[in-house]
Amino acid sequence: MAVDLEAIRKRVAELSGIKKTSSVQMWKPGLGEYKVRCLPWKNAADGQPFMERWFYYIGENAGLLAPNQFGKPDPINDLVRKLYSSGKPDDRVLAKKLSAKMRCYAPVIVRGEEDKGVQVWSFGKQVYQRMLGFFLDEEVGDILSPTEGFDLKVSITKAVGKQFNDTVVDPARRPSKLHEDAAVTQKWLESVPNIDDMYRLKSIQEIETVLNNWLNGGSEPAQTD
């Protein structure tokens, strides 16, 4: 029997909690300028335009979903709370490193890559705050409207000496349709994936194993942008 390396890679990703399904296309832009159009999530809670997810970055782990955000027992969060409550400066430093970090998500159509369909863009807090501000700007408003929304101009640069890229997002000068063909628009809106299909929530036992391995190994928590 021939070994399917791609199938093995997908399975390793599933087991590590990175990607839960290959049907979700992530948009990972490099340096340069882009134009994208954000689409609304189907299952966004409380009328929020974008999705938030909180992850732990410990050791070599690419990111562990924090169970407490779903109301589930969370041994890492328990440890963080104990460290903060100890009152010791070193414990507070460690608690900050172990604390969950937020990532935000938006389904997008990348102009010039329409043939790829809906992709999912992950971004950090600063970009998130900037994009939320568009909804409050009376000259912009609902950027998600498929008929009167705005494309976004995304510029990604890297300053000398900085570890992470800089991302600047601005709305286009004028509103526009998501697509001139209403059938294409509807197809894109219906193909927005479920964010819960993207990452697997590890069991308490799995998370405890990761935490214990890290505590015994003593390596630094991974850095994120």
Side-chain angles (χ1 to χ4, degrees):
M1 181 183 69
V3 175
D4 187 338
L5 295 180
E6 185 59 28
I8 293 174
R9 292 189 187 98
K10 290 178 180 179
R11 184 55 181 154
V12 169
E14 290 174 356
L15 293 173
S16 64
I18 302 172
K19 199 84 171 284
K20 188 177 178 181
T21 175
S22 60
S23 65
V24 179
Q25 294 188 82
M26 298 298 295
W27 182 53
K28 299 180 179 180
L31 300 179
E33 296 184 352
Y34 306 85
K35 185 176 288 186
V36 307
R37 183 62 167 264
C38 295
L39 284 67
W41 288 104
K42 295 178 183 178
N43 59 335
D46 302 324
Q48 293 299 314
F50 309 117
M51 290 286 197
E52 301 174 10
R53 287 294 183 268
W54 293 80
F55 296 87
Y56 297 115
Y57 297 89
I58 299 178
E60 299 299 321
N61 291 276
L64 302 173
L65 277 172
N68 68 309
Q69 68 188 303
F70 306 111
K72 297 181 179 294
D74 188 335
I76 298 179
N77 183 61
D78 292 343
L79 175 60
V80 169
R81 291 167 62 90
K82 289 179 181 178
L83 290 168
Y84 271 124
S85 64
S86 75
K88 299 178 181 179
D90 289 347
D91 285 353
R92 293 183 65 85
V93 171
L94 179 56
K96 186 175 181 179
K97 290 180 178 180
L98 287 175
S99 294
K101 309 297 188 299
M102 182 177 66
R103 295 298 296 176
C104 305
Y105 297 85
V108 297
I109 292 294
V110 181
R111 299 306 188 189
E113 299 181 10
E114 286 89 348
D115 59 310
K116 295 183 179 179
V118 178
Q119 303 181 67
V120 176
W121 180 25
S122 171
F123 43 90
K125 183 178 180 180
Q126 289 186 332
V127 171
Y128 182 42
Q129 290 177 316
R130 171 71 173 159
M131 291 170 64
L132 286 178
F134 298 153
F135 291 88
L136 306 178
D137 186 335
E138 61 182 18
E139 295 183 357
V140 183
D142 183 7
I143 62 174
L144 301 182
S145 170
T147 56
E148 300 177 344
F150 286 75
D151 284 0
L152 301 179
K153 295 178 290 184
V154 180
S155 176
I156 300 178
T157 59
K158 187 175 183 66
V160 176
K162 292 191 67 175
Q163 182 179 2
F164 299 110
N165 296 337
D166 293 318
T167 301
V168 176
V169 182
D170 290 300
R173 293 185 177 182
R174 297 181 180 86
S176 63
K177 293 182 179 180
L178 175 58
H179 196 280
E180 291 299 325
D181 188 332
V184 174
T185 293
Q186 188 62 30
K187 178 182 177 181
W188 283 344
L189 293 173
E190 290 177 354
S191 63
V192 170
N194 186 332
I195 192 172
D196 293 327
D197 289 336
M198 292 171 55
Y199 301 100
R200 182 176 72 88
L201 179 63
K202 288 182 177 292
S203 68
I204 296 178
Q205 292 74 20
E206 289 174 308
I207 293 175
E208 286 178 339
T209 297
V210 171
L211 179 59
N212 290 332
N213 288 342
W214 177 80
L215 290 173
N216 292 330
S219 59
E220 283 290 304
Q223 299 295 310
T224 61
D225 58 346

